[in-house]
Amino acid sequence: MAARYRVVWEDLRGKILNETYPVGSLLPTEEELTILYGVSRPTVRHALSLLAEEGLVDRRKRRGTLVCEPQSRREYATHVQSFEAEMHTERRIPRTKVISCTREGADGTVCQALHIKEDDAVLRLVRVRYANEDPNVLVVTYVPLDVCPEVEQVDFEQCSLYQTLRSHGHEVVRARRRLNVELADAGSAAMLGMSTSDPVFVFHSYGYTDDNVTVEYSVATYRGSTNSFEFTIEMQA
């Protein structure tokens, strides 16, 4: 027989995910839940703590237990995978909106990231990636055009960058990523429907081919409230 807290947790979790308790609503009070499930208050608190650990609720003093938008949990920091594949894994519907796609000369930061000369031609691609129609991440990507000039002709609202690079013989097989936690700037806040006081995850990513050519440099800004990232770390012998 399942522990009582688990019965409460599973039932409340199911009702949150099927929107019996929609995002932004309040769950019944602890006292109401003890009566509803016929359990003690510590049992209810244990179940609510599990929901809070999952990011499904936010427990606030004097206000109650607020239902939150479920977070996207991904291993982006440790795996090379397209955004579309990530969303399909999480059973969410991906969509991409291209903000701009232009040819420009590389500046110092981009030159260093891609190991090219100043003013060498790059494609600068700015996209907002959506999960179930909610803006989830703002991505600014640079691709060296001397390596893959074909990217200039691609509609990236319909095509994946990684699939495009692969189809032209420049598959990204390894990536290096640096994570910063920051406050949203005015640009990312506007694109992602946030406030400049909201936290964001900012990844600087460098994509490498099998022969160690850097074919992609991206800065991806993820909403802090709807994303979390999992890391797998192995102990060295």
Side-chain angles (χ1 to χ4, degrees), residues 5 27 44 52 85 108 111 135 140 150 164 172 195 207:
Y5 77 85
L27 293 183
V44 167
C111 291
V140 182
E150 298 88 351
T164 299
V172 175
S195 165

Side-chain angles (χ1 to χ4, degrees), residues 18-113:
N18 69 18
E19 298 188 346
T20 298
Y21 297 124
V23 173
S25 68
L26 290 172
L27 293 183
T29 65
E30 288 184 4
E31 184 177 358
E32 290 170 337
L33 290 172
T34 61
I35 296 171
L36 178 64
Y37 291 102
V39 296
S40 66
R41 182 163 287 190
T43 296
V44 167
R45 287 175 179 169
H46 192 169
L48 294 177
S49 294
L50 292 178
L51 293 172
E53 288 176 8
E54 291 185 275
L56 294 176
V57 301
D58 181 13
R59 304 184 68 193
R60 301 180 182 181
K61 290 183 178 180
R62 295 185 295 277
R63 184 176 177 185
T65 304
L66 182 72
V67 177
C68 301
E69 182 75 29
Q71 290 186 326
S72 295
R73 297 179 182 270
R74 57 176 58 87
E75 294 182 340
Y76 174 82
T78 56
H79 289 69
V80 177
Q81 190 178 39
S82 70
F83 180 79
E84 290 80 3
E86 291 176 11
M87 291 295 98
H88 288 310
T89 298
E90 297 176 6
R91 298 182 180 179
R92 296 191 175 202
I93 300 172
R95 182 171 69 86
T96 297
K97 179 179 180 181
V98 173
I99 306 302
S100 64
C101 185
T102 56
R103 169 192 281 253
E104 61 180 46
D107 63 12
T109 301
V110 176
C111 291
Q112 184 176 4

Side-chain angles (χ1 to χ4, degrees), residues 149-168:
E150 298 88 351
V151 293
E152 281 194 286
Q153 311 303 321
V154 176
D155 178 0
F156 285 107
E157 291 193 353
Q158 305 299 323
C159 299
S160 161
L161 174 63
Y162 279 6
Q163 289 176 354
T164 299
L165 291 171
R166 183 185 304 116
S167 67
H168 292 289

